[in-house]
Amino acid sequence: MLKPRSTPTRELVNLDGVWRFAIDSRVGDRPWTALLDTPLEAAVPASYNDLFVDAEIRDHVGWVYYQRSVRVPRGWANERILLRFDAATHAAKVYVNDDLVGEHIGGYTPFDIDLTDTISAGEEFRLTVAVSGDLTNETIPPGKIEVGMDGRKKQVYFHDFYNYAGLARSVWLHSEPLSRVTDVTVVTGFEGATGSVDYRVETDGTGEVAVRLSDAAGVVVAQGSGPRGTLEVADVTLWKPGAAYLYELTVELHDAGSVVDSYPVAVGVRTVEVRGHEFLINGQPFYFTGFGKHEDTAVRGKGHDNAFLVHDFQLLEWAGANSFRTSHYPYAEEVLDFADRHGIVVIDETAAVGLNMGVVGGMSGTPPFPTFSEQYAGAATQAAHAQHIRELITRDKNHPSVVMWCIANEPASNEEGALEYFTPLVELARELDPTRPLTYALVMFATFQNDKIVDLFDVVSMNRYYGWYITPGDLTTAEQYLQGDIQGWVDRTGKPIIMSEYGADTQPGVHSVWDQPWTEEYQASFLEMYHRVFDRFPQFVGEQVWNFADFATSNGIHRVEGNKKGVFTRDRKPKAAAWALRKRWRGLEGRKPGSDGE
């Protein structure tokens, strides 16, 4: 699905702002058929949970309603008219005036609704969007809804970040020509100094496809025609980590001598490959340094914010990080666009977090019932998971910053049924994109001895917390556990290994001369121990600390104002560990694979 853009043949109107807002228990039946009877207004984009001081709204289970009026530009006659939602967490029903015009399930990927036959240019209409944050065993991520003794519904979920809901990303009204480009797929490569851009264009309507590739200065360097082909780029400038270079592929649809549609795609020429125990970008070994992140800020929840986007990338650069993982869901497209432009490497992850009943069993890892069963992750869950993979790869396939797909975080890959559950999903991901490696993030319970699915994947991504959840405060014993764990995966797989999560909760301002958990000194010592172990293994290709910044979680008593494993506070102040990481990662430049000159 192409992101709406303003081009010579397309226009868009941003619908962000303040919308009327109500929860379903406070409005009558069919509230979309009139103005919402509510005193409340909610910001878009933003999660609604933290906007209000009303606990009933924050903890609401069920549907909420957003509403505003929209006027279609007069000049859009004889155009296709569409509504675009960059995300609605986790399900949406969209009404124009009194009528349901579209639905979508999945909280972190976009969807379009075609209004061409519903409204007309110059017309004003009432737009109502019903959004549900409910999670069940048939959603991704999964969860369950319980009813308490007082009759209230309560959302239970099996992941450790707050279940923010609402319209957390932008909403657009946009136009497209009646004959139009509907999709573009780009695959790049190079041989010596000559780059290649394989393209495939899908269209609807009549017309002939023509393409041209321009360099960063706007000079056309290659041209082609037809719905698919290969463009050669002499003296190509490659897209590299830390040194982004983008070409622009302009795709046009010509009919009767006129351009009836035009759409631009940013292109970074680069290759990605796993060879033995190495992860290669442009044929050179690459070493990941960075974080697992979250889309999480005060008041906005998961609402996209460009100010935080810019500042977070500044902090990544300050720390010497070259990468991050979109834990645990696809991030806003603006984030990937920014990474493309600034040379930050991305591991792009689906929203499949919480597929693990062992987590419910606590650190024993003993599930109350099998994860991969109709009680929990059954056929319906698998189908929803497949749809998430389709929508993620369809949306993000052309981003040069995206070098690997992560199709699940901490699934119960040690349980029976895991292989049968994941095999068709891996096959689907490889069919959709055969060019990028695949991984999943290993939970602590999944060891090199009992994991059942690692052979399906290209890279071993480990989430490990020795020294925190296991042997807390005892880094000497934790180091022995970590050393043996990594060695086991090296011996079993021979594949590249990345530590996709490791970290310790830290309350800023708490200090101790001893290895005392929750202190800033302990967090720094914890990371130092892990790094000492990493450096013993040539098979190790990266380290992504959990987490970039503190973030909101559920109301569990083991959390105080959320998860405090961030090396930055939630408002982006550095803890001692941030300075320690800056020293290490900037010191790795020129020594670890993937740095300039190697």
Side-chain angles (χ1 to χ4, degrees), residues 19-20 30-36 66-71 83 94-99 101 115 118-119 123-129:
W19 297 40
R20 295 184 189 89
R30 297 173 56 82
W32 55 88
T33 60
L35 284 180
L36 281 180
Y66 292 81
Q67 189 181 81
R68 62 162 291 166
S69 60
V70 179
R71 183 172 294 280
L83 268 173
V94 181
Y95 302 86
V96 168
N97 297 324
D98 295 351
D99 300 320
V101 294
L115 301 183
T118 305
I119 55 176
E123 179 182 340
E124 186 177 60
F125 64 92
R126 184 178 63 255
L127 173 62
T128 310
V129 186

PDB file of all heavy atoms in Angstrom, residues 19-20 30-36 66-71 83 94-99 101 115 118-119 123-129:
ATOM      1  N   TRP A  19     -10.631  16.081  17.905  1.00  0.00           N
ATOM      2  CA  TRP A  19     -11.890  15.476  17.477  1.00  0.00           C
ATOM      3  C   TRP A  19     -12.820  15.307  18.685  1.00  0.00           C
ATOM      4  O   TRP A  19     -12.357  15.168  19.829  1.00  0.00           O
ATOM      5  CB  TRP A  19     -11.635  14.093  16.887  1.00  0.00           C
ATOM      6  CG  TRP A  19     -10.802  14.011  15.645  1.00  0.00           C
ATOM      7  CD1 TRP A  19      -9.679  14.719  15.324  1.00  0.00           C
ATOM      8  CD2 TRP A  19     -11.014  13.110  14.553  1.00  0.00           C
ATOM      9  NE1 TRP A  19      -9.178  14.328  14.118  1.00  0.00           N
ATOM     10  CE2 TRP A  19      -9.979  13.340  13.610  1.00  0.00           C
ATOM     11  CE3 TRP A  19     -11.968  12.133  14.270  1.00  0.00           C
ATOM     12  CZ2 TRP A  19      -9.871  12.624  12.426  1.00  0.00           C
ATOM     13  CZ3 TRP A  19     -11.871  11.411  13.087  1.00  0.00           C
ATOM     14  CH2 TRP A  19     -10.837  11.663  12.170  1.00  0.00           C
ATOM     15  N   ARG A  20     -14.127  15.306  18.422  1.00  0.00           N
ATOM     16  CA  ARG A  20     -15.063  14.909  19.478  1.00  0.00           C
ATOM     17  C   ARG A  20     -14.751  13.475  19.894  1.00  0.00           C
ATOM     18  O   ARG A  20     -14.341  12.655  19.080  1.00  0.00           O
ATOM     19  CB  ARG A  20     -16.509  14.983  18.994  1.00  0.00           C
ATOM     20  CG  ARG A  20     -16.981  16.385  18.654  1.00  0.00           C
ATOM     21  CD  ARG A  20     -18.468  16.353  18.271  1.00  0.00           C
ATOM     22  NE  ARG A  20     -18.914  17.632  17.742  1.00  0.00           N
ATOM     23  CZ  ARG A  20     -18.857  17.981  16.462  1.00  0.00           C
ATOM     24  NH1 ARG A  20     -18.393  17.115  15.568  1.00  0.00           N
ATOM     25  NH2 ARG A  20     -19.262  19.159  16.057  1.00  0.00           N
ATOM     26  N   ARG A  30     -26.007   3.484  17.989  1.00  0.00           N
ATOM     27  CA  ARG A  30     -25.734   4.116  16.700  1.00  0.00           C
ATOM     28  C   ARG A  30     -25.340   5.593  16.853  1.00  0.00           C
ATOM     29  O   ARG A  30     -25.924   6.489  16.237  1.00  0.00           O
ATOM     30  CB  ARG A  30     -26.950   3.986  15.784  1.00  0.00           C
ATOM     31  CG  ARG A  30     -27.295   2.541  15.440  1.00  0.00           C
ATOM     32  CD  ARG A  30     -28.608   2.431  14.673  1.00  0.00           C
ATOM     33  NE  ARG A  30     -28.607   3.239  13.455  1.00  0.00           N
ATOM     34  CZ  ARG A  30     -28.060   2.873  12.291  1.00  0.00           C
ATOM     35  NH1 ARG A  30     -27.471   1.680  12.195  1.00  0.00           N
ATOM     36  NH2 ARG A  30     -28.115   3.662  11.227  1.00  0.00           N
ATOM     37  N   PRO A  31     -24.316   5.874  17.672  1.00  0.00           N
ATOM     38  CA  PRO A  31     -23.956   7.277  17.928  1.00  0.00           C
ATOM     39  C   PRO A  31     -23.385   7.982  16.703  1.00  0.00           C
ATOM     40  O   PRO A  31     -23.329   9.216  16.677  1.00  0.00           O
ATOM     41  CB  PRO A  31     -22.894   7.163  19.035  1.00  0.00           C
ATOM     42  CG  PRO A  31     -22.326   5.797  18.876  1.00  0.00           C
ATOM     43  CD  PRO A  31     -23.462   4.933  18.435  1.00  0.00           C
ATOM     44  N   TRP A  32     -22.980   7.230  15.695  1.00  0.00           N
ATOM     45  CA  TRP A  32     -22.421   7.829  14.487  1.00  0.00           C
ATOM     46  C   TRP A  32     -23.476   8.519  13.614  1.00  0.00           C
ATOM     47  O   TRP A  32     -23.138   9.204  12.664  1.00  0.00           O
ATOM     48  CB  TRP A  32     -21.689   6.765  13.665  1.00  0.00           C
ATOM     49  CG  TRP A  32     -22.553   5.582  13.324  1.00  0.00           C
ATOM     50  CD1 TRP A  32     -23.363   5.439  12.241  1.00  0.00           C
ATOM     51  CD2 TRP A  32     -22.692   4.387  14.090  1.00  0.00           C
ATOM     52  NE1 TRP A  32     -24.003   4.227  12.270  1.00  0.00           N
ATOM     53  CE2 TRP A  32     -23.610   3.548  13.406  1.00  0.00           C
ATOM     54  CE3 TRP A  32     -22.139   3.917  15.282  1.00  0.00           C
ATOM     55  CZ2 TRP A  32     -23.979   2.294  13.870  1.00  0.00           C
ATOM     56  CZ3 TRP A  32     -22.505   2.673  15.750  1.00  0.00           C
ATOM     57  CH2 TRP A  32     -23.409   1.877  15.049  1.00  0.00           C
ATOM     58  N   THR A  33     -24.759   8.328  13.920  1.00  0.00           N
ATOM     59  CA  THR A  33     -25.818   8.894  13.085  1.00  0.00           C
ATOM     60  C   THR A  33     -26.138  10.347  13.427  1.00  0.00           C
ATOM     61  O   THR A  33     -27.022  10.956  12.804  1.00  0.00           O
ATOM     62  CB  THR A  33     -27.104   8.058  13.214  1.00  0.00           C
ATOM     63  OG1 THR A  33     -27.520   8.054  14.582  1.00  0.00           O
ATOM     64  CG2 THR A  33     -26.856   6.631  12.749  1.00  0.00           C
ATOM     65  N   ALA A  34     -25.428  10.917  14.398  1.00  0.00           N
ATOM     66  CA  ALA A  34     -25.643  12.317  14.771  1.00  0.00           C
ATOM     67  C   ALA A  34     -24.350  12.844  15.390  1.00  0.00           C
ATOM     68  O   ALA A  34     -23.372  12.110  15.546  1.00  0.00           O
ATOM     69  CB  ALA A  34     -26.798  12.430  15.760  1.00  0.00           C
ATOM     70  N   LEU A  35     -24.355  14.127  15.746  1.00  0.00           N
ATOM     71  CA  LEU A  35     -23.209  14.648  16.466  1.00  0.00           C
ATOM     72  C   LEU A  35     -23.064  13.896  17.785  1.00  0.00           C
ATOM     73  O   LEU A  35     -24.052  13.652  18.491  1.00  0.00           O
ATOM     74  CB  LEU A  35     -23.390  16.142  16.759  1.00  0.00           C
ATOM     75  CG  LEU A  35     -23.174  17.113  15.598  1.00  0.00           C
ATOM     76  CD1 LEU A  35     -23.408  18.545  16.084  1.00  0.00           C
ATOM     77  CD2 LEU A  35     -21.764  16.975  15.030  1.00  0.00           C
ATOM     78  N   LEU A  36     -21.833  13.527  18.127  1.00  0.00           N
ATOM     79  CA  LEU A  36     -21.607  12.833  19.389  1.00  0.00           C
ATOM     80  C   LEU A  36     -22.059  13.716  20.557  1.00  0.00           C
ATOM     81  O   LEU A  36     -21.665  14.883  20.655  1.00  0.00           O
ATOM     82  CB  LEU A  36     -20.130  12.496  19.563  1.00  0.00           C
ATOM     83  CG  LEU A  36     -19.568  11.279  18.820  1.00  0.00           C
ATOM     84  CD1 LEU A  36     -18.080  11.122  19.126  1.00  0.00           C
ATOM     85  CD2 LEU A  36     -20.320  10.002  19.192  1.00  0.00           C
ATOM     86  N   TYR A  66     -14.489   8.590  17.843  1.00  0.00           N
ATOM     87  CA  TYR A  66     -13.920   9.871  17.435  1.00  0.00           C
ATOM     88  C   TYR A  66     -14.814  10.434  16.327  1.00  0.00           C
ATOM     89  O   TYR A  66     -15.305   9.688  15.479  1.00  0.00           O
ATOM     90  CB  TYR A  66     -12.525   9.695  16.842  1.00  0.00           C
ATOM     91  CG  TYR A  66     -11.440   9.250  17.787  1.00  0.00           C
ATOM     92  CD1 TYR A  66     -11.274   7.918  18.132  1.00  0.00           C
ATOM     93  CD2 TYR A  66     -10.531  10.179  18.297  1.00  0.00           C
ATOM     94  CE1 TYR A  66     -10.245   7.508  18.958  1.00  0.00           C
ATOM     95  CE2 TYR A  66      -9.488   9.784  19.123  1.00  0.00           C
ATOM     96  CZ  TYR A  66      -9.353   8.442  19.455  1.00  0.00           C
ATOM     97  OH  TYR A  66      -8.330   8.046  20.273  1.00  0.00           O
ATOM     98  N   GLN A  67     -14.965  11.765  16.320  1.00  0.00           N
ATOM     99  CA  GLN A  67     -15.824  12.348  15.281  1.00  0.00           C
ATOM    100  C   GLN A  67     -15.368  13.761  14.926  1.00  0.00           C
ATOM    101  O   GLN A  67     -14.944  14.526  15.807  1.00  0.00           O
ATOM    102  CB  GLN A  67     -17.281  12.391  15.756  1.00  0.00           C
ATOM    103  CG  GLN A  67     -18.279  12.771  14.661  1.00  0.00           C
ATOM    104  CD  GLN A  67     -19.691  12.825  15.222  1.00  0.00           C
ATOM    105  OE1 GLN A  67     -20.073  13.817  15.839  1.00  0.00           O
ATOM    106  NE2 GLN A  67     -20.463  11.769  15.013  1.00  0.00           N
ATOM    107  N   ARG A  68     -15.454  14.073  13.642  1.00  0.00           N
ATOM    108  CA  ARG A  68     -15.210  15.430  13.156  1.00  0.00           C
ATOM    109  C   ARG A  68     -15.907  15.585  11.807  1.00  0.00           C
ATOM    110  O   ARG A  68     -16.329  14.600  11.184  1.00  0.00           O
ATOM    111  CB  ARG A  68     -13.719  15.728  13.015  1.00  0.00           C
ATOM    112  CG  ARG A  68     -12.998  14.838  12.021  1.00  0.00           C
ATOM    113  CD  ARG A  68     -11.670  15.458  11.593  1.00  0.00           C
ATOM    114  NE  ARG A  68     -11.883  16.639  10.792  1.00  0.00           N
ATOM    115  CZ  ARG A  68     -10.921  17.528  10.513  1.00  0.00           C
ATOM    116  NH1 ARG A  68      -9.713  17.371  11.012  1.00  0.00           N
ATOM    117  NH2 ARG A  68     -11.189  18.572   9.743  1.00  0.00           N
ATOM    118  N   SER A  69     -16.027  16.820  11.350  1.00  0.00           N
ATOM    119  CA  SER A  69     -16.550  17.073  10.010  1.00  0.00           C
ATOM    120  C   SER A  69     -15.379  17.244   9.055  1.00  0.00           C
ATOM    121  O   SER A  69     -14.308  17.725   9.430  1.00  0.00           O
ATOM    122  CB  SER A  69     -17.439  18.320   9.991  1.00  0.00           C
ATOM    123  OG  SER A  69     -16.696  19.451  10.394  1.00  0.00           O
ATOM    124  N   VAL A  70     -15.600  16.845   7.807  1.00  0.00           N
ATOM    125  CA  VAL A  70     -14.554  16.900   6.785  1.00  0.00           C
ATOM    126  C   VAL A  70     -15.173  17.468   5.509  1.00  0.00           C
ATOM    127  O   VAL A  70     -16.277  17.064   5.123  1.00  0.00           O
ATOM    128  CB  VAL A  70     -13.976  15.498   6.501  1.00  0.00           C
ATOM    129  CG1 VAL A  70     -12.910  15.569   5.412  1.00  0.00           C
ATOM    130  CG2 VAL A  70     -13.414  14.867   7.784  1.00  0.00           C
ATOM    131  N   ARG A  71     -14.461  18.370   4.867  1.00  0.00           N
ATOM    132  CA  ARG A  71     -14.908  18.885   3.575  1.00  0.00           C
ATOM    133  C   ARG A  71     -13.936  18.437   2.495  1.00  0.00           C
ATOM    134  O   ARG A  71     -12.722  18.602   2.625  1.00  0.00           O
ATOM    135  CB  ARG A  71     -15.034  20.404   3.561  1.00  0.00           C
ATOM    136  CG  ARG A  71     -15.572  20.942   2.216  1.00  0.00           C
ATOM    137  CD  ARG A  71     -15.880  22.421   2.284  1.00  0.00           C
ATOM    138  NE  ARG A  71     -16.985  22.715   3.185  1.00  0.00           N
ATOM    139  CZ  ARG A  71     -18.266  22.573   2.873  1.00  0.00           C
ATOM    140  NH1 ARG A  71     -18.607  22.112   1.672  1.00  0.00           N
ATOM    141  NH2 ARG A  71     -19.201  22.885   3.747  1.00  0.00           N
ATOM    142  N   LEU A  83      -9.905   7.770   2.298  1.00  0.00           N
ATOM    143  CA  LEU A  83      -9.515   8.055   3.668  1.00  0.00           C
ATOM    144  C   LEU A  83      -8.354   7.134   4.020  1.00  0.00           C
ATOM    145  O   LEU A  83      -8.399   5.939   3.745  1.00  0.00           O
ATOM    146  CB  LEU A  83     -10.665   7.762   4.636  1.00  0.00           C
ATOM    147  CG  LEU A  83     -11.628   8.869   5.003  1.00  0.00           C
ATOM    148  CD1 LEU A  83     -12.766   8.286   5.823  1.00  0.00           C
ATOM    149  CD2 LEU A  83     -10.928   9.978   5.797  1.00  0.00           C
ATOM    150  N   VAL A  94     -15.343   2.534  10.410  1.00  0.00           N
ATOM    151  CA  VAL A  94     -15.380   3.905   9.918  1.00  0.00           C
ATOM    152  C   VAL A  94     -16.748   4.194   9.312  1.00  0.00           C
ATOM    153  O   VAL A  94     -17.247   3.422   8.475  1.00  0.00           O
ATOM    154  CB  VAL A  94     -14.273   4.140   8.872  1.00  0.00           C
ATOM    155  CG1 VAL A  94     -14.298   5.587   8.378  1.00  0.00           C
ATOM    156  CG2 VAL A  94     -12.903   3.800   9.464  1.00  0.00           C
ATOM    157  N   TYR A  95     -17.347   5.327   9.731  1.00  0.00           N
ATOM    158  CA  TYR A  95     -18.678   5.715   9.284  1.00  0.00           C
ATOM    159  C   TYR A  95     -18.611   7.081   8.617  1.00  0.00           C
ATOM    160  O   TYR A  95     -18.003   8.024   9.144  1.00  0.00           O
ATOM    161  CB  TYR A  95     -19.648   5.791  10.468  1.00  0.00           C
ATOM    162  CG  TYR A  95     -19.782   4.511  11.249  1.00  0.00           C
ATOM    163  CD1 TYR A  95     -18.889   4.212  12.296  1.00  0.00           C
ATOM    164  CD2 TYR A  95     -20.785   3.589  10.960  1.00  0.00           C
ATOM    165  CE1 TYR A  95     -19.011   3.037  13.023  1.00  0.00           C
ATOM    166  CE2 TYR A  95     -20.913   2.414  11.687  1.00  0.00           C
ATOM    167  CZ  TYR A  95     -20.025   2.143  12.707  1.00  0.00           C
ATOM    168  OH  TYR A  95     -20.135   0.972  13.422  1.00  0.00           O
ATOM    169  N   VAL A  96     -19.213   7.187   7.463  1.00  0.00           N
ATOM    170  CA  VAL A  96     -19.411   8.472   6.797  1.00  0.00           C
ATOM    171  C   VAL A  96     -20.897   8.797   6.871  1.00  0.00           C
ATOM    172  O   VAL A  96     -21.735   8.022   6.368  1.00  0.00           O
ATOM    173  CB  VAL A  96     -18.927   8.423   5.342  1.00  0.00           C
ATOM    174  CG1 VAL A  96     -19.407   9.643   4.573  1.00  0.00           C
ATOM    175  CG2 VAL A  96     -17.406   8.346   5.306  1.00  0.00           C
ATOM    176  N   ASN A  97     -21.205   9.906   7.523  1.00  0.00           N
ATOM    177  CA  ASN A  97     -22.594  10.233   7.856  1.00  0.00           C
ATOM    178  C   ASN A  97     -23.203   9.048   8.606  1.00  0.00           C
ATOM    179  O   ASN A  97     -22.689   8.670   9.643  1.00  0.00           O
ATOM    180  CB  ASN A  97     -23.364  10.633   6.608  1.00  0.00           C
ATOM    181  CG  ASN A  97     -22.776  11.914   5.997  1.00  0.00           C
ATOM    182  OD1 ASN A  97     -22.344  12.802   6.723  1.00  0.00           O
ATOM    183  ND2 ASN A  97     -22.755  11.997   4.676  1.00  0.00           N
ATOM    184  N   ASP A  98     -24.242   8.404   8.089  1.00  0.00           N
ATOM    185  CA  ASP A  98     -24.901   7.329   8.840  1.00  0.00           C
ATOM    186  C   ASP A  98     -24.415   5.935   8.466  1.00  0.00           C
ATOM    187  O   ASP A  98     -24.883   4.951   9.047  1.00  0.00           O
ATOM    188  CB  ASP A  98     -26.414   7.378   8.595  1.00  0.00           C
ATOM    189  CG  ASP A  98     -27.055   8.641   9.135  1.00  0.00           C
ATOM    190  OD1 ASP A  98     -26.364   9.409   9.844  1.00  0.00           O
ATOM    191  OD2 ASP A  98     -28.240   8.866   8.835  1.00  0.00           O
ATOM    192  N   ASP A  99     -23.476   5.832   7.525  1.00  0.00           N
ATOM    193  CA  ASP A  99     -23.179   4.533   6.927  1.00  0.00           C
ATOM    194  C   ASP A  99     -21.784   4.035   7.278  1.00  0.00           C
ATOM    195  O   ASP A  99     -20.807   4.791   7.265  1.00  0.00           O
ATOM    196  CB  ASP A  99     -23.298   4.616   5.398  1.00  0.00           C
ATOM    197  CG  ASP A  99     -24.699   5.016   4.965  1.00  0.00           C
ATOM    198  OD1 ASP A  99     -25.666   4.534   5.581  1.00  0.00           O
ATOM    199  OD2 ASP A  99     -24.819   5.823   4.015  1.00  0.00           O
ATOM    200  N   VAL A 101     -18.523   2.457   6.204  1.00  0.00           N
ATOM    201  CA  VAL A 101     -17.852   2.436   4.904  1.00  0.00           C
ATOM    202  C   VAL A 101     -16.603   1.569   4.899  1.00  0.00           C
ATOM    203  O   VAL A 101     -16.039   1.302   3.827  1.00  0.00           O
ATOM    204  CB  VAL A 101     -17.486   3.859   4.442  1.00  0.00           C
ATOM    205  CG1 VAL A 101     -18.744   4.675   4.173  1.00  0.00           C
ATOM    206  CG2 VAL A 101     -16.580   4.558   5.468  1.00  0.00           C
ATOM    207  N   LEU A 115     -13.794   6.229  -0.799  1.00  0.00           N
ATOM    208  CA  LEU A 115     -15.059   6.961  -0.646  1.00  0.00           C
ATOM    209  C   LEU A 115     -15.564   7.525  -1.974  1.00  0.00           C
ATOM    210  O   LEU A 115     -16.497   8.324  -1.991  1.00  0.00           O
ATOM    211  CB  LEU A 115     -14.875   8.124   0.341  1.00  0.00           C
ATOM    212  CG  LEU A 115     -14.410   7.770   1.758  1.00  0.00           C
ATOM    213  CD1 LEU A 115     -14.346   9.042   2.601  1.00  0.00           C
ATOM    214  CD2 LEU A 115     -15.321   6.746   2.402  1.00  0.00           C
ATOM    215  N   THR A 118     -19.123   7.386  -2.465  1.00  0.00           N
ATOM    216  CA  THR A 118     -19.880   7.756  -1.271  1.00  0.00           C
ATOM    217  C   THR A 118     -20.040   9.250  -1.130  1.00  0.00           C
ATOM    218  O   THR A 118     -21.089   9.736  -0.677  1.00  0.00           O
ATOM    219  CB  THR A 118     -19.191   7.185  -0.017  1.00  0.00           C
ATOM    220  OG1 THR A 118     -19.027   5.768  -0.170  1.00  0.00           O
ATOM    221  CG2 THR A 118     -19.993   7.474   1.236  1.00  0.00           C
ATOM    222  N   ILE A 119     -18.993  10.017  -1.480  1.00  0.00           N
ATOM    223  CA  ILE A 119     -19.022  11.467  -1.320  1.00  0.00           C
ATOM    224  C   ILE A 119     -18.576  12.130  -2.618  1.00  0.00           C
ATOM    225  O   ILE A 119     -18.063  11.470  -3.521  1.00  0.00           O
ATOM    226  CB  ILE A 119     -18.105  11.912  -0.161  1.00  0.00           C
ATOM    227  CG1 ILE A 119     -16.679  11.379  -0.382  1.00  0.00           C
ATOM    228  CG2 ILE A 119     -18.649  11.443   1.176  1.00  0.00           C
ATOM    229  CD1 ILE A 119     -15.691  11.844   0.644  1.00  0.00           C
ATOM    230  N   GLU A 123     -18.135  18.460  -1.071  1.00  0.00           N
ATOM    231  CA  GLU A 123     -19.135  18.061  -0.077  1.00  0.00           C
ATOM    232  C   GLU A 123     -18.513  17.996   1.318  1.00  0.00           C
ATOM    233  O   GLU A 123     -17.347  17.654   1.486  1.00  0.00           O
ATOM    234  CB  GLU A 123     -19.689  16.685  -0.459  1.00  0.00           C
ATOM    235  CG  GLU A 123     -20.724  16.120   0.509  1.00  0.00           C
ATOM    236  CD  GLU A 123     -21.194  14.727   0.102  1.00  0.00           C
ATOM    237  OE1 GLU A 123     -21.018  14.365  -1.079  1.00  0.00           O
ATOM    238  OE2 GLU A 123     -21.714  14.006   0.963  1.00  0.00           O
ATOM    239  N   GLU A 124     -19.310  18.348   2.316  1.00  0.00           N
ATOM    240  CA  GLU A 124     -18.906  18.168   3.708  1.00  0.00           C
ATOM    241  C   GLU A 124     -19.618  16.943   4.261  1.00  0.00           C
ATOM    242  O   GLU A 124     -20.794  16.715   3.975  1.00  0.00           O
ATOM    243  CB  GLU A 124     -19.255  19.397   4.546  1.00  0.00           C
ATOM    244  CG  GLU A 124     -18.732  19.312   5.980  1.00  0.00           C
ATOM    245  CD  GLU A 124     -19.011  20.570   6.772  1.00  0.00           C
ATOM    246  OE1 GLU A 124     -20.202  20.925   6.919  1.00  0.00           O
ATOM    247  OE2 GLU A 124     -18.044  21.198   7.246  1.00  0.00           O
ATOM    248  N   PHE A 125     -18.892  16.152   5.058  1.00  0.00           N
ATOM    249  CA  PHE A 125     -19.516  14.968   5.648  1.00  0.00           C
ATOM    250  C   PHE A 125     -19.067  14.799   7.096  1.00  0.00           C
ATOM    251  O   PHE A 125     -18.057  15.358   7.529  1.00  0.00           O
ATOM    252  CB  PHE A 125     -19.192  13.712   4.828  1.00  0.00           C
ATOM    253  CG  PHE A 125     -17.735  13.324   4.784  1.00  0.00           C
ATOM    254  CD1 PHE A 125     -17.196  12.436   5.706  1.00  0.00           C
ATOM    255  CD2 PHE A 125     -16.898  13.847   3.806  1.00  0.00           C
ATOM    256  CE1 PHE A 125     -15.864  12.077   5.655  1.00  0.00           C
ATOM    257  CE2 PHE A 125     -15.553  13.487   3.749  1.00  0.00           C
ATOM    258  CZ  PHE A 125     -15.034  12.599   4.677  1.00  0.00           C
ATOM    259  N   ARG A 126     -19.860  14.028   7.820  1.00  0.00           N
ATOM    260  CA  ARG A 126     -19.566  13.711   9.213  1.00  0.00           C
ATOM    261  C   ARG A 126     -18.779  12.395   9.244  1.00  0.00           C
ATOM    262  O   ARG A 126     -19.253  11.363   8.786  1.00  0.00           O
ATOM    263  CB  ARG A 126     -20.872  13.579  10.009  1.00  0.00           C
ATOM    264  CG  ARG A 126     -20.674  13.340  11.512  1.00  0.00           C
ATOM    265  CD  ARG A 126     -22.013  13.264  12.252  1.00  0.00           C
ATOM    266  NE  ARG A 126     -22.824  12.137  11.806  1.00  0.00           N
ATOM    267  CZ  ARG A 126     -23.895  12.228  11.025  1.00  0.00           C
ATOM    268  NH1 ARG A 126     -24.294  13.420  10.571  1.00  0.00           N
ATOM    269  NH2 ARG A 126     -24.583  11.156  10.676  1.00  0.00           N
ATOM    270  N   LEU A 127     -17.580  12.458   9.791  1.00  0.00           N
ATOM    271  CA  LEU A 127     -16.710  11.277   9.880  1.00  0.00           C
ATOM    272  C   LEU A 127     -16.665  10.800  11.319  1.00  0.00           C
ATOM    273  O   LEU A 127     -16.295  11.567  12.221  1.00  0.00           O
ATOM    274  CB  LEU A 127     -15.300  11.621   9.392  1.00  0.00           C
ATOM    275  CG  LEU A 127     -14.231  10.539   9.576  1.00  0.00           C
ATOM    276  CD1 LEU A 127     -14.580   9.275   8.794  1.00  0.00           C
ATOM    277  CD2 LEU A 127     -12.857  11.069   9.143  1.00  0.00           C
ATOM    278  N   THR A 128     -17.082   9.566  11.536  1.00  0.00           N
ATOM    279  CA  THR A 128     -17.033   8.956  12.862  1.00  0.00           C
ATOM    280  C   THR A 128     -16.195   7.691  12.784  1.00  0.00           C
ATOM    281  O   THR A 128     -16.396   6.871  11.883  1.00  0.00           O
ATOM    282  CB  THR A 128     -18.440   8.610  13.377  1.00  0.00           C
ATOM    283  OG1 THR A 128     -19.297   9.745  13.248  1.00  0.00           O
ATOM    284  CG2 THR A 128     -18.390   8.165  14.830  1.00  0.00           C
ATOM    285  N   VAL A 129     -15.270   7.541  13.710  1.00  0.00           N
ATOM    286  CA  VAL A 129     -14.401   6.366  13.743  1.00  0.00           C
ATOM    287  C   VAL A 129     -14.561   5.693  15.092  1.00  0.00           C
ATOM    288  O   VAL A 129     -14.310   6.303  16.141  1.00  0.00           O
ATOM    289  CB  VAL A 129     -12.931   6.740  13.515  1.00  0.00           C
ATOM    290  CG1 VAL A 129     -12.084   5.475  13.402  1.00  0.00           C
ATOM    291  CG2 VAL A 129     -12.775   7.600  12.271  1.00  0.00           C
TER     292      VAL A 129
END
